[in-house]
């Protein structure tokens, strides 16, 4: 970890400083630029970022449950309610604790597995990825049969179609809130529903961060996908402005 930090300080762009270079994805999401001769602060571990910014009265903010919150907001906009996802979002600590105890798994892979359903993964008890291997067959089977989680999966499947259909243009492709049309993958006739949804959601995430940046300006020291590090800010005012401009709570 410290080797990465030393390498970052020894860059040729701003020696003895920590430059942050971004690149924009096809969906408009800002992420770390690749091809530089130093590691990105964005991808450094949370422990290392805490070390870098400690003692400066800075705070780490992010969009709470960004992926599922944006998803349920879009579903609601297009007339679909997601009671089971909403129950999970409102009781995430209790739900995760219960599931981890029931299935004998850790929180991190369980959270990642649920989010993977948004972007194309299924809930079948078949091990095809490292994430599924971390959970194990018995846990995957229990997750598929769980009353709440199975309904969350069904709501995601239904909502995915509702949202994507609402963003499909006359060319049959997805255009997100930033006006960016999703390109077709090479040799593919169409993009997968999961890829289409990610194009939509990452566009909204970026739009939310635009609103945040317009409010806090130079107080923001580092943008990290759906979050940022800055001086202390009025999160209530930011939430109200996001709701006003974009219609998301």
């Amino acid at each position: 970890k410290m080797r990465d930090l030393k390498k970052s300080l020894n860059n040729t762009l701003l020696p003895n400083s920590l430059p942050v270079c971004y690149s924009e994805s096809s969906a408009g999401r800002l992420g770390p630029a690749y091809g530089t001769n130093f590691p990105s602060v964005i991808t450094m571990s949370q422990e290392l970022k805490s070390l870098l910014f400690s003692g400066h009265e800075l705070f780490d903010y992010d969009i709470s449950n960004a992926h599922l919150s944006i998803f349920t907001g879009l579903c609601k906009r297009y007339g679909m309610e997601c009671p089971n996802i909403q129950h999970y979002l409102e009781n995430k600590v209790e739900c995760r604790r219960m599931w981890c105890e029931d299935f004998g798994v850790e929180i991190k892979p369980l959270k990642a597995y649920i989010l993977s359903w948004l972007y194309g993964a299924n809930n079948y008890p078949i091990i095809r990825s490292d994430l599924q291997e971390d959970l194990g067959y018995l846990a995957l089977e229990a997750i598929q049969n769980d009353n709440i989680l199975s309904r969350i999966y069904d709501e995601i499947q239904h909502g995915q179609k509702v949202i994507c259909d609402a963003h499909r243009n006359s060319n049959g492709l997805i255009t997100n809130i930033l006006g960016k049309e999703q390109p077709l993958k090479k040799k593919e006739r169409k993009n997968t529903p999961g890829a289409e949804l990610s194009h939509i959601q990452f566009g909204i995430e970026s739009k939310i961060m635009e609103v945040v940046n317009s409010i806090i300006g130079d107080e923001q020291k580092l943008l990290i996908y759906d979050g940022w590090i800055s001086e202390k800010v009025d999160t209530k005012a930011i939430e109200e402005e996001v709701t006003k401009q974009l219609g998301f709570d």
Side-chain angles (χ1 to χ4, degrees), residues 2-13:
M2 292 306 296
R3 186 167 57 248
D4 286 347
L5 178 56
K6 290 178 180 178
K7 190 173 181 181
S8 293
L9 290 169
N10 193 32
N11 68 84
T12 56
L13 184 62

Side-chain angles (χ1 to χ4, degrees), residues 135-179:
L135 292 168
Y137 175 80
L138 292 178
L140 293 173
E141 187 176 46
I143 289 169
Q144 186 187 42
N145 294 325
D146 183 83
N147 186 44
I148 297 175
L149 284 168
S150 62
R151 292 179 182 179
I152 287 174
Y153 179 78
D154 290 342
E155 287 174 358
I156 287 174
Q157 296 303 297
H158 183 200
Q160 189 181 70
K161 185 178 187 309
V162 169
I163 294 168
C164 290
D165 286 348
H167 286 79
R168 202 172 306 284
N169 61 29
S170 58
N171 296 322
L173 298 174
I174 297 296
T175 301
N176 68 19
I177 194 172
L178 299 176

Side-chain angles (χ1 to χ4, degrees), residues 113-123 143 149 153 156-157:
Y113 185 55
I114 294 171
L115 290 179
S116 74
W117 297 342
L118 289 170
Y119 305 122
N122 59 52
N123 72 338
I143 289 169
L149 284 168
Y153 179 78
I156 287 174
Q157 296 303 297

Side-chain angles (χ1 to χ4, degrees), residues 28-246:
R29 191 190 203 200
L30 293 179
Y34 296 99
T36 58
N37 67 340
F38 53 88
S40 172
V41 181
I42 301 169
T43 56
M44 287 182 182
S45 68
Q46 187 60 45
E47 294 83 0
L48 195 50
K49 283 200 282 283
S50 297
L51 176 64
L52 288 172
F53 292 103
S54 64
H56 297 282
E57 295 187 359
L58 297 174
F59 298 83
D60 195 346
Y61 298 94
D62 64 11
I63 305 171
S64 179
N65 300 295
H67 298 266
L68 283 172
S69 294
I70 292 172
F71 179 83
T72 54
L74 284 169
C75 285
K76 187 174 182 180
R77 178 176 295 177
Y78 301 120
M80 177 184 164
E81 297 295 331
C82 300
N84 293 281
I85 298 177
Q86 198 61 48
H87 171 78
Y88 169 49
L89 293 176
E90 293 172 358
N91 304 277
K92 60 182 181 181
V93 174
E94 294 82 359
C95 285
R96 289 169 184 167
R97 184 187 299 117
M98 177 184 66
W99 291 330
C100 286
E101 290 177 357
D102 289 350
F103 309 146
V105 298
E106 298 294 325
I107 289 179
K108 188 174 181 179
L110 177 63
K111 286 169 56 180
Y113 185 55
I114 294 171
L115 290 179
S116 74
W117 297 342
L118 289 170
Y119 305 122
N122 59 52
N123 72 338
Y124 305 148
I126 301 173
I127 296 177
R128 293 177 176 170
S129 68
D130 291 341
L131 177 58
Q132 291 166 321
E133 189 171 349
D134 287 343
L135 292 168
Y137 175 80
L138 292 178
L140 293 173
E141 187 176 46
I143 289 169
Q144 186 187 42
N145 294 325
D146 183 83
N147 186 44
I148 297 175
L149 284 168
S150 62
R151 292 179 182 179
I152 287 174
Y153 179 78
D154 290 342
E155 287 174 358
I156 287 174
Q157 296 303 297
H158 183 200
Q160 189 181 70
K161 185 178 187 309
V162 169
I163 294 168
C164 290
D165 286 348
H167 286 79
R168 202 172 306 284
N169 61 29
S170 58
N171 296 322
L173 298 174
I174 297 296
T175 301
N176 68 19
I177 194 172
L178 299 176
K180 293 184 176 294
E181 183 178 85
Q182 184 182 30
L184 280 173
K185 290 185 177 180
K186 293 181 179 179
K187 299 180 181 180
E188 297 288 342
R189 291 187 176 182
K190 63 179 182 178
N191 294 313
T192 64
E196 290 182 334
L197 182 64
S198 70
H199 189 79
I200 295 165
Q201 298 230 145
F202 288 158
I204 291 173
E205 175 192 292
S206 298
K207 193 67 178 178
I208 291 173
M209 298 313 299
E210 280 185 16
V211 175
V212 171
N213 195 49
S214 70
I215 295 172
I216 67 176
D218 291 341
E219 293 177 8
Q220 179 175 284
K221 307 305 178 186
L222 180 66
L223 171 68
I224 313 172
Y225 301 114
D226 63 346
W228 71 94
I229 293 175
S230 73
E231 298 170 16
K232 192 171 184 178
V233 297
D234 185 349
T235 55
K236 185 65 176 178
I238 291 173
E239 290 171 359
E240 289 175 353
E241 190 62 25
V242 168
T243 300
K244 178 182 175 181
Q245 291 194 33
L246 305 179

